Amino acid sequence: MILVTTAGKVGAETARLLRQRDVPVRVLVRDPAKAAPQELARLGAEIVVGDLSVPASIDDAMRGVSAVVLVSPAVPAQELNVVASAARASVAHVVKATSKASPDSPIARRRWQSEIEAGLAASGVPHTLLRSNAYMQNVLALAPAIAATSSFGSAAGQGRTGMVDTSDVAAVAAQIAASAAAHAGKTYRLTGPEAISNYDVAAVLSKLLGRTITYRELTVEENKDAMIRAGVPEQIAEMNAQAFALTADGDAEWVTDDVPSILGRPARSFEQFAAGHAAAFS
Ligand SMILES: NC(=O)c1ccc[n+]([C@@H]2O[C@H](COP(=O)([O-])OP(=O)(O)OC[C@H]3O[C@@H](n4cnc5c(N)ncnc54)[C@H](OP(=O)(O)O)[C@@H]3O)[C@@H](O)[C@H]2O)c1
């Protein structure tokens, strides 16, 4: 039995892919009435209700589990609850979704990921880290603005990002969870096939949508305020704007072959991603 903690973007797709292979899957969710858990239940996944801040609910979900796919917000207390539960249950492997974690990053989220990675290492549970570049799905947060104004802004300047599609992150997570021993102790750096700037994003969307989409370079403060106005909580808007400022300086300009090496097929391009979500930008 493989436990996937939460049915967010990566978790839901990982569980779906494992069910496609007929692997027994359990998914821990807070709200089983949401669309993703309902769809996964139809595919034969076991849905258990729990909360990552409640250790007893994680222990219930951990019974009989051989591997865990840990993919949830980078909140150390919550993800370390999962790690501790996995250690108590002598789980054989944890696949952990993470980012460019570092204990001295200026971005709190990256320091938190680093704390979780350190706790996982200290737990002694064999594990694999999926250190992803920015998700292509982040661009969907701009879709309402693009649909309404045919423009979008960011503090990323002209910086390039080796963006990865969450469906590729999920495909890698499913592959590793299903053949965990071969991947113990490894860190994979997951990216798309190329590093692109927001000018490239605008060009791809313009071609796809048949109208000109304009990219505007924003200051960090302008970018943070725009995200807050769009409904992003202030702390997250702050971390996102900081990350975009680093992107402007080349921080996200990295591309690897890890996705194609593990999956035996090319990583999905931004063109493919955009085409699959055209309706959201229209
Ligand atoms: N975005 C990026 O560019 C990027 C890049 C690299 C790495 N990452 C990492 O990827 C991970 C996030 O993956 P994702 O984008 O697939 O996640 P996501 O779509 O944001 O989904 C998060 C899920 O966690 C659930 N959740 C939140 N708090 C919970 C709690 N206390 N108990 C149970 N469930 C809870 C949410 O459930 P509800 O539906 O109930 O809210 C939601 O289903 C993070 O570790 C992040 O740092 C992200």
Side-chain angles (χ1 to χ4, degrees):
M1 175 69 76
I2 292 175
L3 173 66
V4 182
T5 59
T6 82
K9 295 180 291 294
V10 174
E13 179 65 3
T14 303
R16 193 184 70 75
L17 292 170
L18 287 167
R19 285 306 304 142
Q20 220 170 50
R21 297 171 175 212
D22 228 15
V23 174
V25 178
R26 186 178 293 153
V27 188
L28 183 148
V29 301
R30 286 194 287 204
D31 182 357
K34 283 195 172 177
Q38 293 277 319
E39 171 62 12
L40 292 169
R42 272 192 293 279
L43 296 174
E46 190 185 321
I47 305 297
V48 295
V49 178
D51 191 304
L52 299 181
S53 56
V54 181
S57 72
I58 306 171
D59 285 346
D60 284 346
M62 201 65 72
R63 273 198 279 269
V65 163
S66 57
V68 174
V69 176
L70 178 53
V71 56
S72 46
V75 178
Q78 294 185 3
E79 288 214 329
L80 290 173
N81 278 342
V82 178
V83 170
S85 177
R88 280 193 292 277
S90 302
V91 162
H93 201 96
V94 171
V95 183
K96 154 94 181 111
T98 186
S99 61
K100 203 170 175 184
S102 152
D104 50 11
S105 172
I107 304 174
R109 188 166 51 209
R110 296 185 181 179
R111 296 195 299 273
W112 298 336
Q113 288 286 24
S114 176
E115 189 181 335
I116 298 163
E117 289 181 13
L120 182 54
S123 74
V125 179
H127 59 276
T128 306
L129 298 179
L130 305 185
R131 193 180 302 295
S132 298
N133 208 323
Y135 294 161
M136 290 179 187
Q137 276 71 5
N138 296 348
V139 178
L140 292 174
L142 302 166
I146 292 170
T149 67
S150 292
S151 72
F152 66 99
S154 164
Q158 302 180 23
R160 295 176 181 277
T161 302
M163 281 189 252
V164 62
D165 192 319
T166 55
S167 65
D168 281 347
V169 178
V172 168
Q175 171 72 22
I176 292 174
S179 56
H183 301 282
K186 303 240 170 88
T187 296
Y188 297 108
R189 296 167 75 237
L190 307 185
T191 72
E194 59 184 343
I196 61 172
S197 73
N198 279 332
Y199 288 102
D200 299 319
V201 167
V204 169
L205 293 177
S206 298
K207 189 170 169 202
L208 176 74
L209 301 172
R211 64 181 202 274
T212 301
I213 306 298
T214 309
Y215 167 54
R216 288 171 290 111
E217 295 186 27
L218 303 179
T219 65
V220 175
E221 276 309 308
E222 286 170 340
N223 198 171
K224 181 181 160 189
D225 291 346
M227 284 187 272
I228 291 170
R229 278 198 307 278
V232 177
E234 179 165 1
Q235 188 188 36
I236 294 177
E238 163 110 38
M239 294 189 289
N240 290 350
Q242 285 177 309
F244 293 140
L246 291 182
T247 297
D249 290 335
D251 177 73
E253 193 169 350
W254 46 281
V255 171
T256 74
D257 281 334
D258 285 355
V259 169
S261 311
I262 293 165
L263 300 181
R265 60 150 174 88
R268 280 168 59 82
S269 66
F270 186 75
E271 281 86 349
Q272 287 173 301
F273 161 81
H277 293 86
F281 300 103
S282 298

